[in-house]
Amino acid sequence: MPYALFCNDAKLSKAYPTEADVWKLAKHSGLVVDVTSEEEKPHPRPVLDNDYEIRPCNPDPQESPEQNRAEAERDQQLEFQLES
């Protein structure tokens, strides 16, 4: 089942094949923050900012989660090359 980024009930991202793909996209977009609790003080854990969440979803018609992942990876590589 594909996954996407949501805020409340609104789907904010394209569908991606895995939850890890959406975490990667959210982190790259600056939507992930590190949080520590008193119990886990030495090990902060990543959480989504505000009311964002990652949920399973059905892809939109004519949408390919695998193609979305490939495009996102290509875009990130292009950004990296432009920053160099």
Side-chain angles (χ1 to χ4, degrees):
M1 161 100 13
Y3 291 82
L5 182 69
F6 286 81
C7 184
N8 299 319
D9 288 329
K11 181 178 168 190
L12 301 179
S13 74
K14 296 177 181 178
Y16 292 89
T18 68
E19 187 175 358
D21 292 323
V22 184
W23 273 103
K24 186 176 178 181
L25 172 73
K27 185 171 184 162
H28 182 75
S29 299
L31 301 176
V32 177
V33 295
D34 287 334
V35 174
T36 58
S37 68
E38 288 303 316
E39 302 162 358
E40 303 174 20
K41 215 171 197 174
H43 303 287
R45 62 183 173 87
V47 296
L48 292 168
D49 203 7
N50 297 323
D51 291 329
Y52 298 116
E53 59 184 327
I54 297 171
R55 291 192 219 160
C57 67
N58 291 318
D60 293 335
Q62 315 251 328
E63 180 181 33
S64 167
E66 290 79 14
Q67 184 176 353
N68 291 342
R69 176 174 49 195
E71 289 173 2
E73 289 172 354
R74 191 173 45 246
D75 290 347
Q76 286 179 357
Q77 289 220 345
L78 181 60
E79 285 179 29
F80 178 73
Q81 290 174 356
L82 292 175
E83 290 174 359
S84 300

